[in-house]
């Protein structure tokens, strides 16, 4: 994160940067209320391959703001690296000062006598204690990963934000901190920095100790009032186990006993004791911290690398339709035929025939047929349904031969049907198969509401069909009305209309 | 040579909702033309379904079949040899009739021949008329699997049973029920499942498609509930300091807070609509029960509360305007015990804006004004309604958005979620308390988690308790 490591650690170079840029752009857009509208960026996002995540990143990086954020992130990295370096140098100096104080005090106050355990606990005690505290806190779910590192991150962030409060840098810092939080990396970043600083401290202390032990002469002693000598022998053996395992010379039991305060010290023991001292600083101070820093760095980069964008964030989801459309048009693959041809011309035949009214119906529901069948009497001949091809063919062949020709041919259909070309053709054929006027009665208006059908719209469609087929009159009537025998009044009305129209 | 993309021809009688079905499957409100009239579509138009940018399926919208009986008549009048089967269709397509009187039908038949499968769209309100049987007979000559889709099934007066029986008699046993206006995610999943049941070799892409659509729906819902949660947190945490003694200043500040909340609700509504991509805000807004982007009834009226079975809070009785409540400390328990405890907890746990500051303000003669619980409930219920309506709207729908829906009891009467009560004591969580010009500051601690938590609760309330999941 705030260290350059994030850059080198990510799988594809810039992958983590890209996500942080996307986060910054999203935050900006969520605050602004509308997505940045840059055609180039939309195109980049649209053309990117893969799922929504890569497309969002591609778009964000291609926006002007995205480029600025990326730059600012670069600058921030520099700033962070600088801050880390300064802090590390300070820690190194602190380490040197701490060691210097310990060795200096021994040189001046104790006439060159160095209490071995006192030195070790001054240089290693505090940080070991803090390490334990850190380890305990890392076990807690909400731990923040080390005070030192956190302070360093906070300081860098506030430094960067203060540099320009409203601008891109502030946005970048917010996006970065938010991203660390989201990926759960904040604690690892802070941990890594904390351990690095302690490594610097340890190195400082080690350097100073080497310096002091090289150019000054110390007698290593120890003393106790409460404990027995065996405890110290065991302690030294324990501490020396690791260094001696890698071949260093450490004090043996005899040397330990010989180094007790008050006993004349053996010059040969100085080397062994200083080896133990330096090795302890290295093995118990620097190495574990370095190891933990590496572990933290690994966790940090893994967290950054493996956590994808929060694609369900509204700010990302609203980009989805444009970045990753779920459909694409193929256009018209077979163009429309030329305009609809008229099948006949609208006629206005007078009622002249001597025969009965001929009643046929087309595409009616079953329960509408029965009342119509009941209308049969001397003046009304019920022909019946002409729904199927056979019935239609029969009507068309027998209609011209009817003698006397019917007074009117009434075709009853329903507003619930959508008129189609076949119906149009059929009506036109009926019209030319008889000299009588052909009327179209449309039932079903009363039921249309229940089915969500707009009767006016359907009537208009039928009107157009009637006109094309040359129908003489069209009337909208309910089936119920027809059943109650009022069809005749319809006929009467139509007849009036006819004679008025014919006059 | 196998094609790379599964081609599906959408065929059927005129005005049965073929174009609407395409719109819904494509999630595209601009595809083709939809009208309640015959012969609205007279060309063949295609579109692909994409998953992560890859085309997996191509759908072709065709003109309606209007004269299948005429084709059968022609075939009868021009018999070929008895065993020619599908070749008789080819013979027909090569005649001048197919380019003249039957041009529209010929386009449909050619498209079906050029596809792997056909979806035969049926207006399920229609009786099973002979002309439809004629259509199925003609389509069968194309020798392609045909899946009937019963459309209009969400409305009244359907004849699903009659259709299923008639189709079974014709050997069509796999029937899809799918309404292109009232969207049903489960129905869409079944549609793809049934397609793969007759097209075994396309199982892979169809499965991918299904999974992608489920994922998208889940994401969209999550995003939408987060928008609503964001709104609720902003409003719950909003607080205005009013001078208790200055009547004029007080009513001005109250009006300002209410306007802020209204504006905030409107913004949320717009964003939720935008998420669903029903073709631009202009279109969506006039199809919504929103006026000018706002809900018909003003948020801060007893009528608005009444519509959702809510009663005004007691805040109104103690001097604050309707929908607002004077802070718990200064005017009794207007915000309810829960809020009070929330506020006290906030104070206990080192919240800068807690008890201490309130007491301080109180001493200085200021009162804190907040939006009351009833209004929070109303906001939640309205967003829930909007979301449910949007989730159940197909892209083929052209009628206004239908937001009549049963209410959610949890939000109407159960106690408000704890996160909301916590938000009461966190003024820094509300964007309404922030000035626009203010610089970028670090995200308020806990706000994001609170938003996700509240969104999850809103998401749960979207599905009627115990009823159909997803
Ligand atoms: N209620 C309802 N209306 C539908 C449905 N499908 C289509 N429609 C309506 O039916 C009419 C015809 O639709 P359209 O798609 O143009 O049919 P097409 O001619 O087959 O393409 C339009 O008014 C649509 O809004 C449906 O499933 N339910
Ligand atoms: Mg159409």
């Amino acid at each position: 994160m705030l260290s350059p490591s994030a850059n080198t650690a990510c799988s594809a170079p810039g992958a983590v940067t890209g996500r942080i840029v996307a986060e910054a752009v999203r935050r900006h857009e969520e605050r602004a209320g509308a997505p940045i509208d840059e055609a180039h960026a939309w195109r980049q996002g649209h053309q990117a391959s893969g799922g929504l995540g890569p497309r969002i990143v591609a778009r964000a990086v291609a926006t002007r703001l995205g480029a600025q954020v990326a730059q600012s992130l670069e600058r921030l990295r520099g700033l962070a690296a600088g801050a880390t370096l300064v802090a590390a140098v300070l820690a190194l100096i602190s380490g040197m000062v701490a060691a210097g104080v310990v060795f200096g005090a021994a040189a001046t106050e104790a006439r060159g006598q160095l209490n071995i355990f006192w030195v070790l606990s001054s240089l290693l005690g505090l940080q070991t204690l803090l390490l334990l505290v850190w380890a305990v806190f890392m076990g807690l779910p909400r731990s923040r990963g080390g005070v030192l590192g956190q302070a360093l991150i906070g300081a860098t962030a506030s430094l960067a934000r203060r540099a320009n409060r409203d601008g891109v840098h502030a946005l970048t810092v917010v996006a970065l901190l938010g991203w660390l939080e989201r990926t759960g990396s904040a604690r690892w970043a802070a941990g890594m920095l904390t351990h690095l600083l302690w490594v610097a401290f340890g190195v400082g202390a080690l350097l100073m100790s080497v310096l002091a032990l090289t150019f000054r002469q110390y007698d290593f002693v120890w003393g106790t009032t409460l404990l027995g000598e065996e405890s110290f022998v065991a302690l030294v053996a324990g501490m020396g186990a690791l260094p001696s395992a890698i071949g260093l010379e450490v004090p043996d039991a005899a040397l330990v006993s010989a180094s007790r305060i008050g006993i004349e010290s053996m010059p040969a023991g100085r080397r062994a004791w200083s080896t133990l001292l330096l090795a302890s600083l290295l093995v118990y101070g620097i190495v574990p911290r370095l190891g933990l820093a590496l572990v933290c760095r690994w966790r940090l980069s893994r967290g950054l690398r493996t956590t994808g964008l929060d694609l369900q964030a509204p700010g990302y989801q609203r980009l989805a339709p444009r970045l990753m459309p779920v459909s694409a048009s193929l256009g018209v693959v077979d163009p429309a035929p030329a305009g609809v041809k008229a099948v006949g011309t609208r006629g206005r035949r007078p009622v002249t025939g001597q025969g009965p009214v001929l009643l046929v119906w087309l595409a009616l529901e079953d329960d509408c047929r029965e009342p119509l069948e009941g209308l049969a009497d001397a003046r009304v001949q019920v022909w019946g349904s002409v729904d199927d091809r056979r019935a239609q063919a029969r009507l068309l062949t027998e209609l011209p031969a009817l003698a006397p020709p019917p007074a009117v041919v009434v075709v009853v259909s329903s507003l619930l049907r959508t008129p189609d070309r076949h119906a149009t053709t059929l009506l036109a054929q009926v019209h030319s198969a008889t000299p009588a006027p052909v009327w179209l009665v449309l039932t079903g208006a009363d039921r249309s509401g229940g089915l969500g059908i707009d009767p006016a719209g359907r009537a208009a469609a039928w009107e157009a069909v009637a006109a094309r087929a040359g129908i003489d009159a069209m009337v909208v009537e309910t089936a119920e009305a027809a059943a109650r025998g009022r069809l005749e009044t319809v006929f009467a009305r139509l007849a009036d209309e006819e004679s008025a129209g014919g006059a | 040579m196998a094609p790379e993309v599964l081609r599906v021809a959408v065929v059927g009688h005129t005005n049965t909702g073929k174009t609407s079905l395409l719109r819904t499957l494509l999630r595209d409100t601009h595809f083709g033309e939809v009208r309640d009239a015959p012969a609205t579509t007279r060309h063949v138009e295609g579109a692909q379904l994409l998953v992560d940018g890859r085309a997996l399926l191509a759908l072709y919208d065709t003109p309606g079949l209007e004269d299948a009986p005429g084709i059968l008549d022609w075939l009868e009048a021009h018999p070929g040899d008895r065993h020619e089967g599908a070749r008789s269709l080819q013979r027909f397509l090569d005649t001048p009739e197919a380019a003249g009187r039957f041009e529209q039908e010929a386009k449909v038949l050619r498209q079906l021949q050029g596809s792997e499968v056909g979806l035969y769209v049926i207006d399920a309100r229609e009786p099973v008329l002979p002309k439809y049987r004629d259509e199925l007979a003609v389509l069968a000559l194309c020798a392609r699997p045909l899946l009937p889709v019963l459309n209009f099934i969400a409305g009244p007066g359907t004849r699903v049973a009659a259709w299923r029986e008639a189709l079974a008699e014709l050997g069509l046993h796999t029937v899809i029920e799918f309404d292109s206006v009232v969207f049903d995610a489960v129905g869409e999943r079944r549609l793809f499942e049934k397609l793969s049941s007759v097209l075994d070799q396309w199982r892979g892409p169809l499965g991918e498609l299904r999974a992608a659509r489920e994922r998208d729906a889940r994401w969209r819902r999550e995003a939408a509930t987060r928008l609503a949660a964001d709104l609720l947190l902003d409003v719950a945490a909003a607080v205005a300091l009013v001078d208790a003694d200055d009547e004029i200043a007080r009513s001005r500040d109250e009006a300002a807070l209410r306007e802020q909340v209204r504006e905030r609700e409107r913004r949320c509504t717009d964003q939720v609509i935008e998420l669903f991509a029903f073709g631009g805000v202009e279109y969506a807004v006039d199809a919504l029960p929103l006026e000018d982007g706002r809900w018909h009834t003003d948020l801060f009226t007893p009528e608005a509360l009444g519509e959702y079975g809510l009663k005004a809070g007691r805040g109104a009785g103690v001097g604050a305007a309707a929908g607002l409540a004077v802070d718990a400390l200064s005017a009794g328990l207007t915000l309810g015990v829960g809020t009070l405890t929330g506020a006290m907890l906030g104070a206990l746990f080192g919240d800068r804006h807690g008890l201490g500051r309130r007491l301080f303000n109180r001493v200085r003669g200021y009162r804190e004004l907040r939006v009351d619980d009833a209004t929070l409930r109303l906001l939640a219920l309205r967003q829930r309604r909007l979301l449910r309506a949007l989730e159940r709207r197909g892209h083929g729908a052209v009628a206004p958005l239908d937001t009549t829906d049963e209410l959610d009891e949890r939000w109407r009467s159960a106690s408000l979620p704890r996160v909301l009560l916590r938000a009461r004591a966190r003024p820094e969580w509300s964007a309404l308390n922030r000035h626009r010009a203010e610089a970028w500051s670090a995200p308020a601690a806990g706000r994001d988690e609170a938003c996700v938590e509240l969104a999850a609760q809103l998401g749960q309330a979207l599905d009627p308790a115990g009823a159909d999941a997803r």
Side-chain angles (χ1 to χ4, degrees):
Chain A
M1 76 113 260
L2 288 174
S3 83
S5 67
N7 198 18
T8 52
C10 49
S11 50
V16 175
T17 309
R19 283 176 217 151
I20 297 170
V21 169
E23 281 287 289
V25 171
R26 173 178 70 83
R27 279 172 195 273
H28 168 85
E29 289 175 338
E30 274 178 359
R31 181 178 271 207
I36 295 172
D37 202 14
E38 289 175 18
H40 168 71
W42 282 118
R43 212 166 31 246
Q44 290 293 316
H46 187 87
Q47 285 165 359
S49 56
L52 188 55
R55 285 165 194 253
I56 287 172
V57 170
R59 169 184 173 272
V61 171
T63 56
R64 268 194 295 281
L65 178 69
Q68 288 169 343
V69 170
Q71 254 176 15
S72 157
L73 214 49
E74 209 46 58
R75 213 191 72 136
L76 201 59
R77 279 205 185 99
L79 193 67
T84 309
L85 198 68
V86 169
V89 168
L90 287 178
L92 190 90
I93 292 172
S94 320
M96 293 177 81
V97 169
V101 167
V102 171
F103 281 98
T108 54
E109 287 160 27
R111 285 169 288 105
Q113 278 209 339
L114 204 58
N115 187 325
I116 178 84
F117 293 106
W118 183 245
V119 173
L120 280 178
S121 57
S122 335
L123 294 182
L124 288 178
L126 177 68
Q127 63 155 313
T128 309
L129 202 67
L130 288 179
L131 190 63
L132 288 178
V133 171
W134 177 84
V136 168
F137 270 85
M138 278 312 264
L140 303 180
R142 278 179 190 272
S143 102
R144 301 243 150 205
V147 180
L148 278 179
Q150 236 179 291
L152 187 55
I153 292 174
T156 316
S158 85
L159 207 67
R161 210 156 45 207
R162 205 149 298 161
N164 85 345
R165 281 194 72 83
D166 266 323
V168 181
H169 297 316
L171 171 63
T172 307
V173 170
V174 169
L176 181 57
L177 292 181
W179 185 246
L180 285 178
E181 208 58 56
R182 174 175 150 61
T183 56
S185 316
R187 56 200 310 223
W188 299 112
M192 181 184 78
L193 291 172
T194 305
H195 296 313
L196 275 183
L197 294 185
W198 278 113
V199 168
F201 179 90
V203 169
L206 186 66
L207 281 180
M208 199 50 159
S209 308
V210 169
L211 218 60
L213 291 175
T214 311
F215 297 112
R216 280 197 195 145
Q217 181 164 313
Y218 294 96
D219 290 326
F220 291 90
V221 297
W222 58 271
T224 179
T225 316
L226 208 56
L227 301 176
E229 193 167 305
E230 325 74 72
S231 326
F232 280 87
V233 173
L235 187 61
V236 170
M239 282 181 58
L242 262 178
S244 70
I246 51 172
L248 296 176
E249 185 198 350
V250 294
D252 52 14
L255 182 57
V256 176
S257 309
S259 303
R260 188 158 188 173
I261 295 173
I263 295 172
E264 194 57 43
S265 77
M266 303 184 295
R270 292 200 186 104
R271 247 184 96 90
W273 276 118
S274 24
T275 309
L276 177 68
L277 176 69
L278 296 178
S280 300
L281 284 181
L282 187 70
V283 171
Y284 302 113
I286 298 174
V287 171
R289 287 288 187 175
L290 196 61
L292 285 171
L294 288 176
V295 168
C296 286
R297 198 198 107 145
W298 171 68
R299 288 297 303 256
L300 169 66
S301 62
R302 197 184 66 163
L304 287 177
R305 213 175 39 226
T306 54
T307 315
L309 292 176
D310 179 17
L311 294 177
Q312 301 167 12
Y316 289 144
Q317 274 299 305
R318 72 169 163 194
L319 305 177
R322 288 186 71 175
L323 290 179
M324 205 171 70
V326 292
S327 64
S329 172
L330 292 170
V332 173
V333 294
D334 192 354
V340 191
K341 291 180 209 72
V343 202
T345 43
R346 181 108 196 214
R348 283 250 164 208
R349 294 179 184 166
V351 183
T352 50
Q354 307 300 303
V357 168
L358 189 73
L359 192 59
V360 304
W361 55 80
L362 177 65
L364 282 189
E365 280 84 358
D366 292 340
D367 57 342
C368 298
R369 299 171 182 202
E370 220 172 297
L372 292 175
E373 275 159 8
L375 288 176
D377 65 12
R379 291 186 48 213
V380 179
Q381 182 191 349
V382 175
W383 180 279
S385 155
V386 289
D387 288 355
D388 63 39
R389 293 190 298 126
R390 223 169 300 284
Q392 289 164 3
R394 192 171 71 89
L395 176 68
L396 292 177
T397 46
E398 292 181 17
L399 194 53
L402 282 184
V408 188
V409 178
V410 174
V411 182
V412 182
S413 190
S414 171
L415 277 186
L416 306 182
R417 304 287 93 74
T418 305
D420 51 35
R421 276 198 351 270
H422 182 70
T424 316
T425 313
L426 182 67
L427 288 173
Q429 284 170 336
V430 169
H431 192 257
S432 48
T434 175
V438 180
W439 297 347
L440 178 61
V441 175
L442 293 169
T443 62
D446 52 336
R447 301 188 188 188
S448 59
L451 295 172
I453 292 170
D454 168 29
R458 285 285 164 90
W462 276 104
E463 184 66 50
V465 162
R468 244 183 292 142
I471 292 300
D472 297 278
M474 185 185 109
V475 67
V476 174
E477 186 54 271
T478 63
E480 201 191 344
R484 276 194 256 109
R486 288 213 291 118
L487 201 55
E488 282 193 64
T489 45
V490 176
F491 300 156
R493 204 172 77 215
L494 282 171
D496 286 350
E497 214 178 89
E498 277 310 312
S499 50
Chain B
M1 186 194 71
E4 284 172 14
V5 176
L6 171 59
R7 291 164 302 180
V8 180
V10 178
V11 301
H13 197 75
T14 191
N15 210 31
T16 51
K18 297 177 294 298
T19 309
S20 307
L21 176 68
L22 258 95
R23 283 188 174 183
T24 298
L25 293 178
L26 297 171
R27 311 275 191 269
D28 179 359
T29 50
H30 295 303
F31 182 87
E33 191 187 347
V34 166
R35 222 147 38 86
D36 182 11
T40 309
T41 311
R42 300 182 61 241
H43 55 234
V44 179
E45 189 177 351
Q48 292 176 320
L49 292 184
L50 312 173
V51 169
D52 292 358
R54 278 172 306 128
L56 295 183
L57 192 146
L59 289 165
Y60 294 93
D61 187 21
T62 61
L65 288 169
E66 294 194 55
D67 202 359
I71 295 179
L72 288 183
D73 286 345
W74 187 92
L75 287 173
E76 252 174 41
H78 303 81
D81 73 82
R82 277 179 49 226
H83 303 293
E84 64 179 0
R87 265 182 295 132
S88 68
L89 184 70
Q90 204 48 54
R91 199 158 46 77
F92 163 73
L93 288 175
D94 293 338
T95 58
E97 260 84 359
R101 182 179 155 207
F102 297 116
E103 189 177 357
Q104 203 168 302
E105 282 72 21
K107 286 182 191 304
V108 182
L109 297 171
R110 286 204 189 93
Q111 191 56 52
L112 181 56
Q113 281 187 324
S115 303
E116 274 71 52
V117 65
L119 292 177
Y120 178 71
V121 183
I122 295 166
D123 180 346
R125 303 169 301 182
E126 287 279 286
V128 189
L129 296 167
K131 61 179 174 184
Y132 299 127
R133 296 178 194 273
D134 292 348
E135 279 169 14
L136 287 164
V138 172
L139 291 170
L141 293 176
C142 293
R144 291 288 177 276
L146 204 59
L147 282 176
V149 178
L150 293 173
N151 200 13
F152 290 87
I153 48 143
T158 59
R159 301 164 188 264
V160 173
W163 271 105
R164 278 186 173 277
E165 199 184 313
L167 291 166
E169 277 167 20
L170 293 170
L172 295 167
H173 297 283
T174 309
V175 177
I176 296 167
E177 294 187 21
F178 187 79
D179 196 289
S180 21
V181 161
V182 181
F183 183 74
D184 172 20
V186 179
E188 193 184 67
R189 194 182 70 209
R190 297 225 176 95
L191 186 149
F192 288 126
E193 277 167 3
K194 287 186 175 167
L195 267 179
S196 42
S197 76
V198 297
L199 299 162
D200 207 37
Q201 67 276 34
W202 294 96
R203 208 165 263 286
L206 286 166
E208 255 182 87
L209 203 56
R210 220 171 53 213
R213 298 207 146 202
E214 279 169 18
R215 177 199 68 190
D216 289 352
R218 221 172 35 240
W219 280 356
R220 196 163 41 238
R221 169 182 280 204
E222 172 70 22
T225 51
R226 278 206 215 164
L227 284 172
D230 202 32
L231 161 75
L232 289 177
L233 287 181
D234 269 356
V235 174
V239 55
L241 272 191
V242 293
D243 187 339
D245 304 322
D246 185 345
E247 271 302 316
I248 296 169
R250 204 187 81 176
S251 61
R252 189 195 56 218
D253 292 345
E254 282 177 2
L257 178 61
R258 300 204 309 181
E259 192 46 44
Q260 260 187 318
V261 173
R262 283 191 198 106
E263 168 63 29
R264 184 68 187 78
E265 184 193 26
R266 203 188 64 185
R267 191 148 57 86
C268 178
T269 305
D270 286 350
Q271 287 175 343
V272 170
I273 292 171
E274 189 195 345
L275 263 186
F276 281 81
F278 280 115
V281 177
E282 330 83 57
Y283 166 76
V285 163
D286 53 53
L288 275 172
L290 306 167
E291 251 172 30
D292 202 22
R294 291 165 201 230
W295 295 79
H296 268 320
T297 33
D298 182 76
L299 183 60
F300 293 102
T301 53
E303 292 79 48
L305 292 172
E307 256 176 48
Y308 290 79
L310 297 168
K311 278 207 290 285
R314 275 178 296 157
V318 293
L324 300 181
V326 173
D327 182 62
L329 266 183
S330 34
L333 294 179
T334 49
L335 291 181
V337 180
T339 313
L340 187 66
T341 21
M344 295 227 256
L345 284 177
L348 275 180
F349 288 103
D351 164 31
R352 283 170 294 140
H353 306 276
L355 216 53
R357 192 198 51 160
R358 289 179 199 192
L359 284 171
F360 182 61
N361 285 332
R362 179 89 182 96
V363 169
R364 287 193 309 169
Y366 283 105
R367 284 178 173 190
E368 290 191 347
L369 200 65
R370 286 159 191 280
V371 176
D372 71 3
D373 283 3
T375 305
L376 284 180
R377 290 177 194 279
L378 177 57
L379 285 169
L381 288 168
R382 286 211 218 184
Q383 290 301 321
R384 177 181 179 274
R385 242 186 203 183
L386 173 67
L387 202 54
R388 275 178 66 90
L390 288 170
E391 280 192 334
R392 291 183 302 170
R393 181 180 177 83
H395 282 71
V398 287
L401 190 70
D402 178 17
T403 52
T404 51
D405 187 13
E406 83 288 3
L407 289 170
D408 177 54
E409 277 309 309
R410 279 162 288 190
W411 276 94
R412 209 173 67 74
S413 49
S415 58
L416 286 176
R418 280 160 175 274
V419 246
L420 265 190
L421 301 179
R422 253 189 285 142
R424 289 288 203 192
R426 294 255 188 285
E428 76 276 15
W429 278 8
S430 177
L432 301 182
N433 297 337
R434 232 176 280 143
H435 295 293
R436 274 192 190 286
E438 201 175 312
W440 284 105
S441 50
R447 173 71 158 72
D448 287 351
E449 291 105 81
C451 188
V452 171
E453 186 184 335
L454 187 56
Q457 300 199 20
L458 286 165
Q460 278 166 16
L462 270 176
D463 295 316
D468 61 319
R470 143 181 350 277

